[in-house]
Amino acid sequence: WECQRGIRDSPLASTWNADLAKRFGTCISEECRALGVDILLGPGINMQRLSVGGRNFEYMGEDPFFTSRIAVSYIQGLQSNKVIAVPKHFIGNDQEFVRHIASINIAPRALREIYLPPWEAVIKEAGSMGMMTGNNQADDVPMAMNHNLVKGVLRDEYGFRGIAMTDWQNSQYHPMRQHLILTSGMSLMMPDNGAFMKYIDEEVAKSPERKMEIEAMMESMIYHNIYPLFAFGIYDREFQTKELFNTFEGHKKIARQTAEEAIVLLKNEKNILPISKNKKILMTGSPEIHSGAGSGFVTGYDHTTYAEGLEKIYGINFTYKEKAIDAEIKKADIVIFSLNKPSGEGRDIPFAQPEAVLDDLRRVIRLNKNIIVLVNASNVMPMDWLPQVKGVLWCYFLGQERGNALAAVVSGEAVPSGKLPFTIEKKFEDSPAPRFNYIAGSPYWRGNNEYKNYWLGDEKAKGPEQIKKNVKPHQPIPVPYSEGLFIGYRWYDKNKIEVHFPFGFGLSYSSFEYSNLRIDNTDSPEIKVFATVKNTGKYKAKEVAQLYVSKPSTTVEHPEKELKAFAKIELDPGEAKEVSFKLNDRSFSYWDEQINDWKIQTGDHIIRIGGSSANLPLTSGITIE
């Protein structure tokens, strides 16, 4: 059971609303219990290291603190009805490039500051009872049998006591390394453990004196699998809680609110949005998509399409034509152009947009000056067309309530409040690792499920010649994370690279003013920060106040700024509210590779507050001793 009503983790994150994420998770748990589902394979908490990741629609963005806060709330909601959460895919499984033999290499500090914090949070704060390892390898050891990271970090250091399962078939791809599983901290091979049991049988037959030792290790694995089932009372309850079917209708409201708050208004020239009901609207372009492909795809039911939602509000003034003729485009007061970028498991998504889609958009731009582009995507793209359109709404894959949500935002019934959980760069060459997937001098975009027998050692198996000529069976492909700490906005800040839209960006139909930053550090070790946000516009609206910390310049390199707190608030026109934030030791710490532990960075820090990572009007210094 992967998700609720087709909405995935990327748009959920775009709401920047931890309370909503908890309610969303609770809805999922009620649907799981009604249907007899005890274990849910999610949420996805990998970093969106690169904008081309095929499974970015399943992940929560580029910032570890932000991902941690949304994921913890989501899992708290999910496990509130004793449904086991299985956050995934541990760790660094943020691309589909030769995903079973891609061997990530992350320096210890980057691992601790960027990639591990969400996992620490969901275990220590949310009490997650499950986790799933990635398809990839780390330092040439498959994650399905990685002792250092699974047992060493998750179990021994973070105290994880639950089910550690492999991604599907992952342990089977490494038949000569089955001996690593027993001591790895893994406890469940999915979808079966055939290769592992073959190893066990052969090992006991070869070395009978090891039988008791092996049985003891296997009992430990079994304990990790059954402990969550007993802890959550799964064996003591009815298979289904059928009365929870009565909650499903109410879940539509949460699904719609999530979709509404996920939509990000990126451009609104001359206030083309919201659109009054007397305007003649034509919607054209790509047929809409509601979900990513692969294991995360959701067929869903009871869909409301974009066209259906808009027609409910605009009636005869709304027309949908997938292939509109020139005269229809010219006649419309406003044209809404649907621009898709499909994605899914099994391949990464090239940055470039197909020319056929762009040609269609260019034709519409030539024929009408009032264009609003709907971007249905969780992967970014070139936006050369941006100056020529008046409005842009980033809509992700919004699931079954997408039409009602879009219509509410377009009409002004709902005011957009989504913020980007990732950066939209101008060129992929600007990104931290534009050549992450090069083999023999050229990029390779696919995963490798389609020729899995080759990776199992069958050199006669059919597969792409580019791979077979350059990669031997079982040969790991190194993927160095040479950018270290500097992914997402950290990278673009460090290198002074101009982007289309920064992390945390999102417009509103209203406007907001920030003032009165004050810091109370009398209750050490917790520091309280306050700021006033005022709605200076005409609409009741929600704003996400974001707090970033800049560490002092020292011999230790730090990002220019890092998100350390955020809060979403709703304000009436003219209303002002004081927002409070809490900071702790970790907010001012870094991972010291010399002592292999967190260390507080002493000295003068700067606290910055505002509406996006690039718009932080409030600043104040604070000294950490």
Side-chain angles (χ1 to χ4, degrees):
W1 189 253
E2 287 266 0
C3 59
Q4 187 246 9
R5 309 212 180 258
I7 302 174
R8 285 312 305 238
D9 303 316
S10 185
L12 175 64
S14 184
T15 68
W16 285 66
N17 189 333
D19 292 335
L20 181 58
K22 188 170 184 177
R23 282 180 280 150
F24 183 91
T26 302
C27 289
I28 298 177
S29 73
E30 290 171 347
E31 297 199 3
C32 286
R33 288 296 308 117
L35 293 160
V37 175
D38 299 315
I39 300 174
L40 181 134
L41 306 184
I45 60 173
N46 286 84
M47 290 295 96
Q48 289 190 14
R49 174 181 176 241
L50 299 172
S51 61
V52 297
R55 302 184 82 164
N56 279 3
F57 74 99
E58 298 186 53
Y59 301 144
M60 294 183 177
E62 68 188 28
D63 183 86
F65 174 84
F66 173 74
T67 293
S68 299
R69 302 280 46 88
I70 300 298
V72 164
S73 294
Y74 176 109
I75 291 173
Q76 287 172 338
L78 177 64
Q79 295 196 160
S80 65
N81 281 300
K82 306 302 183 185
V83 174
I84 295 172
V86 183
K88 57 185 187 180
H89 307 83
F90 184 78
I91 191 171
N93 188 186
D94 44 43
Q95 70 219 359
E96 294 298 274
F97 167 58
V98 290
R99 59 183 182 166
H100 295 294
I101 56 169
S103 181
I104 63 168
N105 187 288
I106 307 176
R109 186 180 171 201
L111 184 69
R112 292 288 180 163
E113 293 189 31
I114 302 296
Y115 297 95
L116 278 172
W119 296 94
E120 182 179 11
V122 298
I123 291 168
K124 292 183 176 181
E125 298 179 49
S128 179
M129 282 292 186
M131 58 81 65
M132 181 188 293
T133 53
N135 286 297
N136 58 303
Q137 303 184 32
D139 298 321
D140 296 347
V141 180
M143 287 310 308
M145 46 197 72
N146 197 302
H147 174 277
N148 289 345
L149 290 170
V150 178
K151 186 168 190 307
V153 176
L154 293 190
R155 292 206 186 277
D156 295 347
E157 186 176 337
Y158 295 165
F160 176 62
R161 299 182 67 187
I163 302 167
M165 70 172 68
T166 68
D167 205 338
W168 261 233
Q169 300 288 353
N170 188 251
S171 64
Q172 310 273 30
Y173 287 104
H174 310 285
M176 305 307 294
R177 307 180 84 175
Q178 297 297 302
H179 62 287
L180 297 176
I181 292 174
L182 278 171
T183 58
S184 67
M186 297 300 299
S187 61
L188 185 62
M189 273 61 72
M190 297 297 292
D192 63 68
N193 58 2
F196 178 62
M197 289 312 302
K198 182 174 183 293
Y199 158 74
I200 294 294
D201 291 342
E202 291 175 350
E203 184 66 15
V204 171
K206 181 179 69 175
S207 305
E209 71 278 5
R210 291 200 65 206
K211 183 178 180 182
M212 290 184 64
E213 174 196 3
I214 290 171
E215 284 180 348
M217 287 189 283
M218 292 183 69
E219 283 180 3
S220 177
M221 296 172 69
I222 293 166
Y223 169 83
H224 289 308
N225 290 337
I226 65 174
Y227 169 74
L229 304 177
F230 282 107
F232 275 19
I234 290 172
Y235 290 130
D236 301 321
R237 66 193 186 198
E238 294 294 324
F239 175 63
Q240 292 177 269
T241 307
K242 293 186 177 180
E243 58 266 28
L244 287 175
F245 280 112
N246 297 327
T247 66
F248 281 29
E249 192 63 28
H251 295 171
K252 284 187 176 182
K253 294 180 181 178
I254 300 299
R256 174 173 170 171
Q257 181 185 350
T258 302
E260 288 174 359
E261 293 198 28
I263 294 173
V264 184
L265 178 61
L266 294 180
K267 184 176 182 179
N268 195 22
E269 185 179 322
K270 296 183 179 179
N271 294 323
I272 192 171
L273 287 160
I275 304 174
S276 66
K277 294 180 182 178
N278 60 3
K279 295 286 187 181
K280 295 188 182 301
I281 302 171
L282 169 68
M283 183 176 182
T284 188
S286 309
E288 64 197 61
I289 48 180
H290 73 276
S291 179
S295 64
F297 177 76
V298 175
T299 301
Y301 65 95
D302 202 14
H303 289 263
T304 300
T305 67
Y306 287 154
E308 290 167 344
L310 290 165
E311 190 171 21
K312 285 181 190 177
I313 289 182
Y314 291 96
I316 60 173
N317 282 334
F318 174 79
T319 303
Y320 170 70
K321 289 284 185 70
E322 181 182 335
K323 299 291 185 181
I325 62 173
D326 289 3
E328 292 170 323
I329 295 169
K330 289 179 179 179
K331 187 170 66 174
D333 293 327
I334 295 174
V335 177
I336 297 177
F337 185 87
S338 181
L339 180 66
N340 288 351
K341 191 159 195 177
S343 64
E345 180 181 8
R347 62 166 299 172
D348 295 306
I349 312 302
F351 188 79
Q353 194 74 358
E355 277 300 313
V357 175
L358 295 178
D359 286 345
D360 199 15
L361 176 56
R362 292 178 188 121
R363 178 176 71 97
V364 172
I365 288 171
R366 285 197 305 270
L367 297 170
N368 195 303
K369 294 182 179 179
N370 295 316
I371 310 298
I372 297 169
V373 176
L374 303 184
V375 182
N376 306 301
S378 292
N379 297 91
V380 308
M381 62 199 71
M383 288 185 165
D384 298 341
W385 42 265
L386 188 60
Q388 299 168 284
V389 303
K390 288 189 176 175
V392 180
L393 290 168
W394 195 280
C395 295
Y396 302 91
F397 308 138
L398 292 178
Q400 294 160 223
E401 286 292 311
R402 62 192 179 281
N404 292 324
L406 177 67
V409 168
V410 167
S411 66
E413 178 185 324
V415 174
S417 63
K419 301 274 188 173
L420 290 173
F422 48 74
T423 302
I424 298 181
E425 69 260 37
K426 289 190 171 183
K427 305 186 301 291
F428 187 55
E429 289 76 12
D430 292 338
S431 72
R435 296 173 67 91
F436 77 100
N437 61 342
Y438 272 60
I439 293 177
S442 60
Y444 182 73
W445 291 100
R446 297 201 66 83
N448 51 290
N449 278 2
E450 70 274 19
Y451 49 101
K452 62 184 180 182
N453 288 338
Y454 177 69
W455 302 117
L456 291 172
D458 179 4
E459 297 197 41
K460 295 182 180 178
K462 292 182 179 179
E465 289 304 311
Q466 178 188 354
I467 299 295
K468 295 186 71 174
K469 286 180 180 178
N470 297 283
V471 183
K472 296 178 181 179
H474 302 296
Q475 176 187 339
I477 302 296
V479 181
Y481 283 43
S482 55
E483 73 281 358
L485 306 174
F486 298 95
I487 70 167
Y489 66 91
R490 293 166 170 81
W491 171 263
Y492 296 103
D493 283 351
K494 175 184 179 181
N495 294 286
K496 311 300 180 189
I497 298 173
E498 186 178 354
V499 300
H500 274 311
F501 298 103
F503 174 80
F505 179 84
L507 301 173
S508 172
Y509 297 154
S510 201
S511 54
F512 303 95
E513 180 180 273
Y514 286 78
S515 62
N516 301 328
L517 169 59
R518 61 187 180 90
I519 301 171
D520 179 359
N521 59 349
T522 58
D523 295 331
S524 182
E526 189 174 82
I527 295 172
K528 296 178 182 178
V529 181
F530 303 89
T532 299
V533 182
K534 182 178 181 180
N535 183 345
T536 56
K538 298 178 180 179
Y539 291 85
K540 183 177 183 177
K542 295 175 182 176
E543 168 68 335
V544 179
Q546 303 166 39
L547 184 153
Y548 295 78
V549 171
S550 296
K551 295 184 176 74
S553 298
T554 66
T555 56
V556 178
E557 186 177 29
H558 298 293
E560 182 178 301
K561 59 180 176 290
E562 297 177 284
L563 181 73
K564 295 300 179 182
F566 63 92
K568 192 165 193 175
I569 56 171
E570 186 170 41
L571 298 166
D572 290 321
E575 183 182 10
K577 285 183 181 177
E578 186 173 68
V579 183
S580 63
F581 308 93
K582 293 180 181 179
L583 303 176
N584 55 29
D585 286 351
R586 185 67 69 87
S587 306
F588 303 97
S589 298
Y590 69 98
W591 184 263
D592 187 332
E593 294 183 357
Q594 301 302 313
I595 64 173
N596 201 36
D597 202 353
W598 292 99
K599 183 177 182 179
I600 295 176
Q601 178 65 70
T602 57
D604 296 331
H605 295 65
I606 299 175
I607 291 175
R608 309 173 188 271
I609 296 176
S612 83
S613 64
N615 179 24
L616 301 167
L618 301 184
T619 63
S620 180
I622 181 172
T623 301
I624 303 297
E625 298 178 351

